[in-house]
Amino acid sequence: MPVSDADTIRILVATDSHVGYNERDPIRGDDSWKSFHEVMCLAKERDVDMVLLAGDLFHDNKPSRKSMYQVMRSLRMNCFGDKPCELEMLSDASENFQGAFNHVNYEDPDINVAIPVFSIHGNHDDPSGEGHLAALDLLQISGLVNYYGRTPESDNISVKPVLLQKGHTKLALYGMSNVRDERLFRTFRDGKVKFFQPSTQKSDWFNLMSVHQNHHAYTETGYLPENFLPDFLDLIIWGHEHECLIEPRYNPEMAFHVMQPGSSVATSLMPGEAVPKHVAIVSITGKEFKCEPIRLKSVRPFVMKEIVLSEDRALKDVWKLDNNRVTITRHLIDIVEKLIADAKREWLSYQDEADDEELEAPLPLIRLRVEYAAPEGGRYDCENPQRFSNRFVGKVANVNDVIQFYRKKAIVNRKLTNNAELPEESILAQLSLDTVKVEQLVREFLTAQSLTILPQNSFGDAVSQFVDKDDKHAMEMFVNESLANQIKHLLDSNDVEEDDITEAMDHYRSKLEEMFAAGHLKKTKKAKLKPKPDTWDSDLDGEWADQPGALIHTDAEAEEDEDIAAIPPKKPAARGRGKATGTTRKPAAASKKTPAARGTRGKKKAVEEEEDENEDDVIMIDDDDDDDEEELFVRPSRTAKKPTSKAASTRTKSPVRKAPARSAATKQSKLNFSQPTTQRSPASGRGKKAQEPDIR
């Protein structure tokens, strides 16, 4: 069959735009949205059929008004128009997009979409907070983006494709938004990731997938191996990694290609960010595809160089001098000046020739790494890094960190107290604050500490939420929840003596750490400002709960229910609150309870009140505290009955009435889905067969 434009789907592929990065910087504040605007302008100029974004559209989980404005402005300027979209939607959009409007945006009769944008979320713009919404949900509800590839359950993932067709070319667009790498590794290993395929004409579909995970094995389980993905895929668009490897690389083991477009803005001064930034237009015809790389012209130039002073010929024998600071500083200034000139020359080289005379290169990013270890008996006297960098104000964009001094350490054998293996010294020497993960720093710091109440691994996760996601309440919620868990555990344990309290708390802390490591405890959740009403519209579909008092669970509440499933239910008799009808409670200002008082909970109320008056260390909890504690510890009797099988567990949702049928102009046809025959895990290679029946 001859190839024609009517049978070719042209897709502009980009990842990691990070709109909003460093937006308060007076020099670099507009870099991120300018490069994103260039990407969207390329989509309009090249007349592509669709745009595919593989995560981290925004740099912050809660983007600023300026960032949201610039993104919406670019999308509306370049994606709306009278040109008809030639893609035909064949799958059920309600399963693919799960929004208030269950259709793809270019089939909406109220807006004119010429170029649809499909996007998954990354680790920077993932859903969180009340309603478990992401910034992409706002763009989808406004008709600007089609947000697909959601992962509401990180330990039970179903990946269903968006089925599109143009002419004789059929495209199955898969997407899996970011999941914590260690947890996703375990989920794949346990065979709990299911991929669905069209039930008819499987061999005719071009299978394209976008993911947003670590591509390299930074730790043993902190990445997504390529051989975990099914071998029926044809092309993988890999987000999250910022180094641009735009040419598709063939994986002979899995028989698919992998493309890593990289970021469109430099968010750290590392070697991978210095690679020229590109996007690509992928043209798919039948089962074949070709890639056209396009270099971005608006990206600020970035040049990086690394030198070793002891090997530099210009500084030969300088280490023998007592005062060599001036000589070294002059030499390093000359190197930086040359790097600035090279950066400007390179930037002008790939601009349009007609505009070369009018264009002025933006201030470049320069990073000079200097290894200053001197031979034995000598030393290099180096200037303060910030003072050195400030010499180039008006010449570079990063005026505070142009130079980075480091000293090569001697190779020593070091071991942690738990006999964990450390990376090689050559790798540790290259690490900086831009690459070290917060969880790793916390874990290494707490290795030598002795914690009694706070679980160590949950502590690291809370710090990560505080630092990476700018969650100001993460640490507060973690500490309060840990203390509440310990208090509840001690109140439920009637046989714990006062001398054994410390040991019991330490034992329960170890139990919580084991539960977190096994995946039974979720990440630190956002603070809840107030409980939602019983008629809360959790699905955002305009339908309210029909049953008064029905439980409507958000994702955060569903995670909380799973966390509580492993904690024994609270015994009403052990609370010691005197809940008989008509009685008056003691105020919260009373003192704490003694073991003797705890042992007499079964006695009559008069005896309890007499002991409360005589004892000075009895705690009485008022109604307000009770409400707060119930928010943390939901009793099983107050929640919907949980299924016995974990695989069968689902969130309780409000009844939803079926939406009226759409007109014939916007009605979508539905195809059946079936699962692939194999699932992969590191231990079993091609693994076990999927058992779930077809989804219709």
Side-chain angles (χ1 to χ4, degrees):
M1 180 181 298
V3 177
S4 64
D5 293 338
D7 296 327
T8 301
I9 301 177
R10 303 176 71 245
I11 307 173
L12 180 66
V13 177
T15 68
D16 295 87
S17 298
H18 285 275
V19 176
Y21 169 74
N22 214 5
E23 62 182 344
R24 296 188 178 183
D25 187 279
I27 301 176
R28 305 163 61 186
D30 296 334
D31 288 1
S32 58
W33 69 260
K34 284 183 177 179
S35 60
F36 174 74
H37 183 64
E38 182 186 0
V39 172
M40 300 312 302
C41 289
L42 283 172
K44 184 176 182 179
E45 293 171 3
R46 298 299 184 95
D47 193 26
V48 299
D49 295 302
M50 58 177 284
V51 176
L52 179 61
L53 305 177
D56 280 356
L57 172 58
F58 294 99
H59 183 72
D60 294 321
N61 186 266
K62 299 177 181 179
S64 65
R65 294 180 183 178
K66 179 181 178 181
S67 298
M68 183 63 72
Y69 169 81
Q70 295 294 351
V71 168
M72 298 179 75
R73 169 179 169 270
S74 296
L75 291 172
R76 183 170 179 177
M77 289 177 60
N78 297 285
C79 296
F80 284 6
D82 295 331
K83 188 196 79 166
C85 182
E86 300 181 23
L87 297 176
E88 181 183 1
M89 182 81 174
L90 300 179
S91 57
D92 185 359
S94 62
E95 292 185 350
N96 296 135
F97 306 127
Q98 303 174 10
F101 302 100
N102 294 326
H103 53 264
V104 69
N105 66 343
Y106 61 82
E107 291 185 356
D108 194 313
D110 299 323
I111 55 178
N112 288 335
V113 177
I115 303 176
V117 178
F118 294 84
S119 177
I120 62 175
H121 75 250
N123 60 307
H124 281 261
D125 53 4
D126 56 338
S128 64
E130 194 72 26
H132 204 63
L133 298 174
L136 291 176
D137 284 299
L138 302 181
L139 298 179
Q140 175 170 276
I141 205 70
S142 60
L144 296 170
V145 164
N146 299 293
Y147 174 26
Y148 78 112
R150 288 175 169 86
T151 52
E153 297 181 62
S154 58
D155 54 356
N156 188 16
I157 301 175
S158 296
V159 185
K160 297 181 180 180
V162 178
L163 301 181
L164 304 170
Q165 182 172 355
K166 179 182 177 183
H168 294 89
T169 299
K170 298 179 175 63
L171 173 64
L173 181 62
Y174 293 83
M176 185 171 61
S177 295
N178 177 263
V179 179
R180 187 177 179 179
D181 290 288
E182 291 79 5
R183 181 157 294 172
L184 183 63
F185 189 97
R186 182 170 58 250
T187 305
F188 267 100
R189 182 189 59 196
D190 296 341
K192 295 184 179 180
V193 180
K194 303 180 181 66
F195 287 82
F196 294 79
Q197 290 183 266
S199 58
T200 59
Q201 300 177 333
K202 291 184 180 181
S203 59
D204 295 340
W205 292 87
F206 186 90
N207 300 292
L208 173 64
M209 182 173 184
S210 59
V211 299
H212 192 95
Q213 303 293 150
N214 281 340
H215 200 180
H216 305 288
Y218 298 102
T219 61
E220 185 177 353
T221 60
Y223 74 112
L224 175 61
E226 291 183 5
N227 60 1
F228 276 19
L229 300 174
D231 54 5
F232 68 82
L233 297 174
D234 298 297
L235 177 62
I236 312 294
I237 307 299
W238 210 291
H240 188 60
E241 299 286 355
H242 284 203
E243 183 179 3
C244 182
L245 303 174
I246 198 66
E247 292 294 340
R249 177 184 55 82
Y250 182 71
N251 185 326
E253 177 187 358
M254 306 304 300
F256 55 57
H257 288 80
V258 179
M259 178 195 296
Q260 183 177 301
S263 66
S264 57
V265 63
T267 60
S268 61
L269 303 181
M270 301 296 294
E273 297 277 19
V275 180
K277 304 294 185 181
H278 290 79
V279 295
I281 294 180
V282 177
S283 300
I284 302 173
T285 306
K287 291 288 290 184
E288 303 296 328
F289 79 96
K290 63 179 181 179
C291 175
E292 178 189 355
I294 303 175
R295 182 165 182 173
L296 298 178
K297 299 178 181 180
S298 63
V299 177
R300 187 178 298 275
F302 174 31
V303 177
M304 183 173 181
K305 185 176 182 179
E306 184 170 353
I307 64 172
V308 179
L309 292 183
S310 60
E311 299 176 0
D312 197 316
R313 295 181 179 180
L315 299 178
K316 185 178 181 181
D317 297 335
V318 170
W319 57 273
K320 299 179 181 179
L321 303 177
D322 294 335
N323 187 5
N324 52 27
R325 174 180 294 189
V326 176
T327 305
I328 295 174
T329 301
R330 288 177 179 173
H331 179 65
L332 296 179
I333 289 176
D334 293 340
I335 295 178
V336 173
E337 293 285 359
K338 184 177 182 302
L339 294 178
I340 294 174
D342 293 342
K344 292 183 177 180
R345 189 184 311 109
E346 181 186 3
W347 188 86
L348 292 173
S349 66
Y350 57 83
Q351 303 299 318
D352 294 334
E353 297 181 359
D355 299 332
D356 278 353
E357 298 180 357
E358 303 177 2
L359 289 178
E360 181 179 355
L363 297 180
L365 296 171
I366 303 296
R367 169 53 65 88
L368 178 63
R369 298 189 77 239
V370 180
E371 197 276 300
Y372 67 99
E376 186 176 356
R379 62 187 297 270
Y380 292 110
D381 189 7
C382 300
E383 190 175 15
N384 178 273
Q386 185 169 358
R387 181 183 303 173
F388 179 90
S389 301
N390 290 341
R391 295 175 181 269
F392 303 96
V393 173
K395 297 182 179 180
V396 299
N398 55 318
V399 295
N400 293 320
D401 52 2
V402 171
I403 197 166
Q404 181 185 30
F405 293 104
Y406 72 97
R407 191 182 187 90
K408 190 174 181 180
K409 297 180 180 179
I411 299 177
V412 294
N413 294 326
R414 297 189 300 168
K415 286 187 177 181
L416 297 177
T417 56
N418 58 358
N419 294 326
E421 295 182 359
L422 288 174
E424 298 179 0
E425 292 294 332
S426 58
I427 299 178
L428 290 175
Q430 300 176 1
L431 292 179
S432 66
L433 291 178
D434 296 329
T435 60
V436 176
K437 291 192 180 242
V438 175
E439 297 96 330
Q440 181 180 356
L441 292 175
V442 174
R443 183 168 57 251
E444 293 179 357
F445 176 77
L446 294 179
T447 300
Q449 308 299 320
S450 178
L451 299 180
T452 303
I453 300 177
L454 303 179
Q456 177 175 318
N457 44 14
S458 301
F459 186 92
D461 181 73
V463 175
S464 175
Q465 294 288 324
F466 180 83
V467 175
D468 296 338
K469 303 298 178 58
D470 195 23
D471 185 356
K472 299 179 181 179
H473 302 285
M475 296 302 300
E476 177 185 359
M477 290 295 297
F478 163 70
V479 173
N480 291 340
E481 186 173 355
S482 299
L483 292 176
N485 283 340
Q486 288 283 6
I487 293 174
K488 179 181 180 298
H489 173 68
L490 293 177
L491 289 176
D492 291 341
S493 302
N494 299 330
D495 55 346
V496 177
E497 300 295 337
E498 187 173 1
D499 297 337
D500 300 333
I501 290 180
T502 302
E503 182 180 354
M505 295 174 69
D506 185 71
H507 176 73
Y508 189 68
R509 174 193 58 79
S510 302
K511 180 180 178 181
L512 290 177
E513 291 180 352
E514 294 175 358
M515 293 168 60
F516 183 88
H520 298 306
L521 295 180
K522 305 296 181 184
K523 287 185 176 181
T524 303
K525 294 174 282 296
K526 291 276 186 179
K528 294 175 63 177
L529 300 180
K530 60 181 180 179
K532 292 187 286 296
D534 293 339
T535 58
W536 182 262
D537 184 15
S538 61
D539 295 330
L540 300 179
D541 55 1
E543 300 290 346
W544 300 92
D546 295 331
Q547 302 177 359
L551 292 176
I552 305 177
H553 285 201
T554 61
D555 288 347
E557 292 173 330
E559 292 178 352
E560 189 177 49
D561 291 344
E562 295 178 5
D563 298 349
I564 297 163
I567 302 177
K570 184 171 294 188
K571 301 177 182 179
R575 300 174 69 90
R577 298 185 181 178
K579 288 196 173 183
T581 306
T583 58
T584 303
R585 291 192 181 183
K586 300 282 291 180
S591 48
K592 60 183 179 180
K593 190 178 291 291
T594 61
R598 289 196 297 268
T600 59
R601 293 191 181 103
K603 294 184 179 181
K604 295 181 179 180
K605 175 187 171 186
V607 178
E608 292 178 343
E609 292 180 349
E610 181 179 356
E611 290 180 355
D612 293 342
E613 294 174 355
N614 295 334
E615 295 290 336
D616 294 333
D617 54 350
V618 179
I619 291 181
M620 297 301 293
I621 305 177
D622 60 6
D623 291 336
D624 294 336
D625 294 340
D626 187 33
D627 294 340
D628 295 339
E629 187 178 38
E630 287 174 0
E631 209 170 301
L632 292 173
F633 304 97
V634 182
R635 298 183 182 88
S637 60
R638 296 190 182 184
T639 59
K641 185 176 181 181
K642 303 180 78 65
T644 56
S645 173
K646 183 177 179 182
S649 104
T650 56
R651 295 196 304 275
T652 305
K653 293 186 178 179
S654 59
V656 179
R657 293 187 290 271
K658 294 184 178 180
R662 289 184 298 222
S663 61
T666 61
K667 188 175 181 181
Q668 302 173 21
S669 60
K670 300 180 182 179
L671 293 185
N672 300 334
F673 289 101
S674 64
Q675 298 184 29
T677 56
T678 60
Q679 284 266 326
R680 299 188 178 277
S681 67
S684 58
R686 296 191 173 269
K688 54 186 179 181
K689 295 185 177 180
Q691 301 295 332
E692 190 169 327
D694 292 350
I695 302 270
R696 297 184 182 274

